[in-house]
Amino acid sequence: MNMRPPDPGQASSRARARMVERLRAQGIADEKVLGAMMQIPRHAFVDEGLAFSAYDDTALPIGYQQTISQPLVVARMIEILRAGRELGRTLEVGAGCGYQAAVLSLVATEVYAVERIRPLLDRARENLRPLRLPNVRLKYADGNLGLPEAAPFDTIIVAAAAAGIPGSLKEQLAPGGRLMIPLGTADQRLVMTERHGNIFRESRFEAVRFVPLLTGTE
Ligand code: SAH
């Protein structure tokens, strides 16, 4: 009888394939986004004790009162931003454990991800290292201020909820650039704004639940 132990790599790839099928059933149609989410091992971004839930469609705790975003929401934000264009030079505000930055790296030319909690940023670095993604840079910074030294950005994606769009982020959008952010306090909704000269055109999408965008670093 064949008594080989189960191969964890194979098991996680099966779980990831099921997650991608679920995303498809939930309406995600962008093959490039689905392909990126098939490739990035979400279980490697959460504590070992939570790895068994890594491919469920839920946000999970990553410490410091923060969470790794729900797969559907990660897919939706990127799919909406990608519609009809390339992501180009991308800024992510709220890198957390680094998962979304990893997914973005496969669909954007360059990814700058900023995080305000130092130990989380260190963890994101550790999580990302084995994946050897050459186009991701992590920075310890308050994302309300954007990242002036790398601006302008074709895409800005904010992974924390705010009452309004921070002015610096709008200023750091390139012409034709798009920014996605959950707006609202009790009731949040995904909002995308697209820059045309100094006109910003807003579109509103579904209700979501994100941790708050805070100010300063810690
Ligand atoms: N993108 C992550 C989700 C992280 S949760 C993922 O892939 O799952 C949101 C993150 O935003 C938290 O880590 C929080 O610390 C961070 N955050 C909140 N306000 C911020 C700010 N002003 N600047 C940078 N990061 C911020």
Side-chain angles (χ1 to χ4, degrees), residues 66-69 92 94 96 100 115-116 120 142-144 159 214:
Q66 306 305 324
T67 53
I68 179 172
S69 303
E92 181 194 23
Q100 180 159 261
E115 173 54 54
R116 65 180 290 281
L120 263 184
D142 175 358
N144 283 291
L214 301 176

Side-chain angles (χ1 to χ4, degrees), residues 16-117:
R16 215 153 40 245
R18 279 196 300 274
M19 174 187 79
V20 166
E21 282 322 303
R22 201 171 50 229
L23 290 172
R24 244 186 245 286
Q26 287 164 319
I28 303 298
D30 184 329
E31 289 301 329
K32 209 159 165 193
V33 174
L34 292 168
M37 291 184 70
M38 181 62 216
Q39 214 168 312
I40 300 298
R42 192 170 187 264
H43 68 273
F45 290 82
V46 297
D47 283 346
E48 248 169 76
L50 289 173
F52 67 93
S53 321
Y55 297 104
D56 294 352
D57 192 31
T58 52
L60 293 170
I62 53 174
Y64 312 92
Q65 297 175 299
Q66 306 305 324
T67 53
I68 179 172
S69 303
Q70 187 188 344
L72 177 62
V73 176
V74 170
R76 270 296 280 166
M77 289 173 97
I78 303 176
E79 177 173 79
I80 297 167
L81 285 165
R82 261 177 53 78
R85 63 198 277 283
E86 296 296 325
L87 295 188
R89 184 191 278 257
T90 298
L91 172 68
E92 181 194 23
V93 173
C97 61
Y99 174 70
Q100 180 159 261
V103 174
L104 283 168
S105 79
L106 301 182
V107 296
T109 26
E110 282 172 280
V111 180
Y112 294 83
V114 302
E115 173 54 54
R116 65 180 290 281
I117 301 178

Side-chain angles (χ1 to χ4, degrees), residues 3-20:
M3 294 290 281
R4 265 186 310 167
D7 172 355
Q10 225 176 60
S12 86
S13 138
R14 272 198 303 272
R16 215 153 40 245
R18 279 196 300 274
M19 174 187 79
V20 166

